[in-house]
Amino acid sequence: MTRIVEAYIGEYASGKSENAVNRAIGLAEQGHKVTLVDLDLVEPVYTLRPLIPLLEEKGVHVIAWKTAETLGLGEAGSVLHPAMRWALKNEGDVILDIGYGAKGSAVLNLLEGVEDDPDFKVLLVVNTLRPMTDSVEKILAYLGEAGPADGFIANTHLGEKDTTAELMREGFAMVREAADRAGLPVVAMAVEERFRADFPDGIWEGVPVRFLRRYLPKGFW
Amino acid sequence: MATKPIEKDTNVFVTGNEVVAWAALAADAQIMYGYPITPQNEIMHYWTRLAPQHDRRFLQTEDELSAGFTTCGGVMTGTRAFTATAGPGTILMQEPITMAEMMRIPLVVVVQQRGGPSTATVIYSQQEVNLCCYGGNGEGFRVVYSTSGHQDLYDYTIKAFNTAWKYRVPTIVLGDGYQAKMREAVTMYDPASRGIEMEPTTPFVGAEGCPGVDRDPRFYRNTYNTEEELLDVVNDLKAHYDSFKDEVIEYEESDIDDAEIVVVGHGVVSRACKEAVKALRKDGFKVGYFRPITLRPFPEKQLAAAVEGKKCVLAVESALGQMKRLMTDGLYGMTVPIEEYFKPGKGVSAQELVEKVKSMMD
């Protein structure tokens, strides 16, 4: 079985954590041994903290700071948790949720063994309805800042009330164009579970659709 | 002249802090001065990312005192300028805000409330109401808009610049950490497309001509020598404030007419109040909703009219009665009892309010 090692990077509020959490739970449900790493060095423990019991219940091993282990949450910064530094050495799949404060993939050089891990992939999550990534040019510019990456996750949506299948498809087309120009694949199209009927084959234009369950509303910030 | 950052209506998925940065851009703000503090940091982050693309500027100062005073300085050169802060930063910001009250400087401050007292949490509260309305040494000659979500943050950030410049009064957009960080869809627009004309900005200092010869001299003072002098100055400031107060007061209400209980909340908490009232109405409960949008000046008459003859008022806030104090001041002399639902530093859900109101109905 191929080992899956994926780091999710992207613009602030692009959907990195939701995609990473869904990926980790999805793999655990398929019987994989999975470690999920909350690699947010600016606001540690916030995003995933309330979800840790749920993740553990679903069989995901979580590496994240616990509130009691940290000081000066939010603005004092943080030191790298030793378990994060060695995260890639965990047996099984490793999913890394890269916090927005970290400068995209630049933070990944803190991980031991990152250069020679043959399975390691960096995935850039893009929501084309985020103003900083709402055109092909802006997506490519953001890739230049936050990259390098090995592929894209198309994650266009407008949240609970205003998302439509049409908007997601338009967003996908824009990400696809950016990916083509960057010479990278679109690894998946992320679609909220409630739109499953709009993508009955689970494939959109040759790209697998990942149906997302919404966990982050229970998360924090 | 820089190009318009937003040409046509755009639906986007954003955080509240980003909304503020975009709204300031759309309002043609030219410079932000700021000092980092969570949960307002991304206002600065996004402003600094957007500013170079739109020929705007940013100055990071050494603290909030300096951020406030440099904003005043920028404004006095005729520049539409703003700053943003939170928590302990809002405390330090009081000195520049009071100077702006005294010298009638159109200072715009966005506050994203965090927990208090002191550093407390970086997360959320509604505990900066006292500070924002009356936190200075003086009389609170300022306008405070309490927003309830992203569309409000967009609309009222734009409006704050116009209120500030039109009446020459320091104006605060009062958000909170939940609004700052939460993600919501919002429609961003060019203010002109909504018929909103931005108030012109003119320099206070460095005007053409020789003072006393070609034009009247301009005095901008925050220091006076005698009590008598100060009495006149403060009375003039009050007269000025009273002259525009009714024009800026804003509030929202629903289901008041036959209501027995009126639920009152401001800011993000008002969303829970509104939702709770809607749910209770569906179940046949006679409940009304009132939300002060301006906390200063406070819609006292409007609230008094809404609660007149009611069985009870429920004051809901993520603080220990900071909004309620504004209410009781406005409702003085009325006999309607005010019940409290206070959760300092913690959010309020519609569900818990439904239960609370039902328990009051028993």
Side-chain angles (χ1 to χ4, degrees), chain B residues 283-295:
Chain B
D283 290 347
F285 292 95
K286 291 185 173 171
V287 186
Y289 158 81
F290 189 95
R291 168 196 169 200
I293 296 173
T294 47
L295 297 184

Side-chain angles (χ1 to χ4, degrees), chain B residues 16-274:
Chain B
N17 281 333
E18 286 175 87
V19 171
V20 172
W22 279 97
L25 261 190
D28 203 28
Q30 295 300 312
I31 186 165
M32 176 184 187
Y33 303 84
Y35 182 78
I37 187 163
T38 314
Q40 71 79 30
N41 285 326
E42 294 86 14
I43 298 177
M44 290 170 48
H45 294 169
Y46 277 85
W47 180 264
T48 52
R49 286 169 73 179
L50 294 166
Q53 299 165 18
H54 298 279
D55 198 20
R56 314 293 170 92
R57 294 172 191 202
F58 175 76
L59 179 69
Q60 180 170 331
T61 56
E62 65 271 35
D63 57 27
E64 289 86 350
L65 275 173
S66 181
F69 281 121
T70 47
T71 310
C72 288
V75 166
M76 292 188 80
T77 68
T79 306
R80 198 176 281 112
F82 76 110
T83 185
T85 191
T90 314
I91 301 176
L92 292 179
M93 205 62 85
Q94 293 306 318
E95 195 177 347
I97 294 173
T98 53
M99 187 177 86
E101 290 177 5
M102 188 60 131
M103 293 162 64
R104 292 190 42 210
I105 298 169
L107 171 68
V108 171
V109 184
V110 180
V111 173
Q112 301 284 31
Q113 298 166 94
R114 53 187 269 165
S118 190
T119 311
T121 73
V122 298
I123 301 169
Y124 164 81
S125 85
Q126 293 188 314
Q127 295 172 294
E128 295 174 44
V129 170
N130 288 348
L131 262 183
C132 287
C133 293
Y134 290 104
N137 63 328
E139 311 299 335
F141 296 131
R142 28 175 108 175
V143 173
V144 180
Y145 291 112
S146 175
T147 61
S148 70
H150 289 16
Q151 199 63 57
D152 270 1
L153 282 171
Y154 193 82
D155 298 347
Y156 284 98
T157 299
I158 292 169
K159 188 177 270 186
F161 286 104
N162 275 351
T163 301
W165 283 89
K166 182 173 180 186
Y167 303 110
R168 278 187 49 195
V169 62
T171 303
I172 295 170
V173 178
L174 183 63
D176 58 65
Y178 284 173
Q179 293 181 66
K181 297 276 185 168
M182 84 191 172
R183 291 108 163 102
E184 247 181 8
V186 69
T187 305
M188 304 203 295
Y189 52 83
D190 171 18
S193 73
R194 300 288 193 275
I196 301 168
E197 257 181 67
M198 295 314 295
E199 286 289 324
T201 59
T202 48
F204 290 38
V205 289
E208 293 280 307
C210 179
V213 179
D214 304 318
R215 60 174 173 84
D216 287 338
R218 296 174 177 182
F219 291 118
Y220 301 106
R221 294 175 62 186
N222 61 346
T223 312
Y224 293 88
N225 297 321
T226 66
E227 307 94 300
E228 291 76 11
E229 236 181 336
L230 180 66
L231 178 67
D232 289 344
V233 169
V234 176
N235 280 337
D236 285 351
L237 287 173
K238 182 185 184 317
H240 169 253
Y241 192 85
D242 288 345
S243 73
F244 69 78
K245 189 161 111 163
D246 288 338
E247 288 169 41
V248 303
I249 282 177
E250 287 188 43
Y251 66 100
E252 197 179 79
E253 64 180 15
S254 76
D255 303 286
I256 294 293
D257 287 352
D258 65 340
E260 291 171 10
I261 293 179
V262 178
V263 181
V264 183
H266 77 95
V268 79
V269 167
S270 71
R271 290 165 69 137
C273 298
K274 200 178 198 172

